[in-house]
Amino acid sequence: MSDDKTTHFGYEQVNVEEKAGRVRAVFDSVANKYDLMNDLMSFGVHRLWKRHTIEISGVRRGQRVLDLAAGTGDLSARFSGLVGPDGQVVFTDINAAMLEQGRERMLDEGRVGNLQYAQVDAQYLPFPDNYFDCVTIAFGLRNVTDKQKALDAIFRVVRPGGRMLVLEFSKPTIKPLEKIYDFYSFSLLPKIGKLVTNDEDSYRYLAESIRMHPDQETLKGMMEHSGFERCDYFNETGGVVAIHRGYKL
């Protein structure tokens, strides 16, 4: 973030106060086709990335989980089953349209009892200190205005012995893949977005926001700066996506 209180919205510089609203408008636009676009954009592989995130989360029966930027609830649904009736999953999103899509999906699937819903900005978490066993944020951190502030907030609400996981687009580790990925992101992805959601600009922003997101080692350093220890990450699909994990000891 620069000294004159601007930040990036994709490749565009905007006032800090504007970014959350701009991001909200993007997801208002795509909310009702979000799941379909995830399948199309990733050729279905996003399900494998999320499955791996669940597998390394260590979430067990009776635990408390906070799912930030939960979208339509892929992670929350799995966590709800893992923690059981004695556990708690807090399903959150900054965007009301996305939150409503997710809530309707959970109700349709009969997931009630251990799920709670809240419209939450990851930078300002309205939860007690040292409360959650696990906090996850999947494909949401890159949209946060101040990522370090969000990581600090997450650290505060994780209990000692707990952990956080960030599933996010990252930097390809294979050079030939990087060129293919760039062509796909900037030439094909906006066109798919236009065909499916009639919104080319939102998917152009998506491609740009991925390029502006910290790479694997930088994000690991930011997590350590917040206080997380034993931080590591797992590259998925040649580094197109990475799962970062850190513990509060």
Side-chain angles (χ1 to χ4, degrees):
M1 191 178 299
S2 61
D3 294 335
D4 57 355
K5 303 298 183 185
T6 64
T7 188
H8 57 82
F9 176 78
Y11 290 160
E12 184 183 353
Q13 285 292 311
V14 299
N15 290 332
V16 165
E17 294 78 10
E18 288 180 38
K19 181 167 180 177
R22 297 279 293 272
V23 170
R24 191 174 297 119
V26 166
F27 287 94
D28 279 343
S29 173
V30 303
N32 65 341
K33 296 286 181 65
Y34 184 76
D35 287 333
L36 174 60
M37 278 300 296
N38 277 349
D39 280 330
L40 291 173
M41 286 189 303
S42 71
F43 306 101
V45 180
H46 74 99
R47 299 176 188 276
L48 300 179
W49 301 331
K50 290 169 182 171
R51 185 184 303 165
H52 191 193
T53 304
I54 298 287
E55 288 170 353
I56 66 173
S57 71
V59 168
R60 303 187 305 278
R61 189 175 181 86
Q63 292 191 330
R64 296 168 175 161
V65 179
L66 172 62
D67 189 10
L68 296 168
T72 54
D74 285 347
L75 293 185
S76 287
R78 295 288 299 277
F79 286 135
S80 176
L82 287 173
V83 303
D86 300 324
Q88 178 188 28
V89 177
V90 183
F91 181 126
T92 76
D93 204 286
I94 194 173
N95 181 271
M98 291 299 303
L99 191 64
E100 184 59 27
Q101 289 281 329
R103 184 172 177 275
E104 287 180 6
R105 176 186 166 190
M106 296 300 101
L107 291 172
D108 287 346
E109 293 179 3
R111 298 184 186 277
V112 295
N114 63 7
L115 272 166
Q116 296 175 320
Y117 303 89
Q119 189 171 353
V120 165
D121 184 332
Q123 300 172 107
Y124 310 103
L125 299 179
F127 305 111
D129 295 357
N130 306 313
Y131 186 79
F132 292 100
D133 296 283
C134 182
V135 178
T136 59
I137 181 165
F139 303 114
L141 186 61
R142 73 179 186 283
N143 296 313
V144 174
T145 303
D146 188 330
K147 297 173 182 62
Q148 192 68 62
K149 184 182 286 188
L151 293 171
D152 292 348
I154 292 168
F155 183 78
R156 178 184 64 78
V157 303
V158 173
R159 69 164 183 82
R163 58 269 176 216
M164 79 161 297
L165 291 106
V166 179
L167 171 62
E168 188 55 89
F169 292 107
S170 200
K171 299 295 184 285
T173 55
I174 304 167
K175 279 294 177 188
L177 178 60
E178 191 171 8
K179 291 182 179 179
I180 296 168
Y181 184 47
D182 281 345
F183 173 76
Y184 170 73
S185 298
F186 291 104
S187 297
L188 298 183
L189 180 58
K191 290 181 172 58
I192 296 171
K194 185 173 183 179
L195 282 171
V196 176
T197 69
N198 198 31
D199 185 348
E200 187 171 351
D201 290 343
S202 289
Y203 287 93
R204 184 171 293 108
Y205 159 74
L206 171 65
E208 293 176 359
S209 71
I210 292 167
R211 298 318 186 279
M212 299 300 290
H213 187 67
D215 64 18
Q216 288 90 327
E217 283 294 324
T218 302
L219 181 54
K220 180 183 175 185
M222 292 171 69
M223 291 170 60
E224 291 169 341
H225 186 270
S226 290
F228 288 101
E229 299 180 53
R230 289 169 49 200
C231 295
D232 56 0
Y233 58 84
F234 304 83
N235 283 319
E236 307 283 329
T237 316
V240 167
V241 162
I243 307 168
H244 281 71
R245 178 176 59 181
Y247 295 86
K248 184 172 181 176
L249 302 178

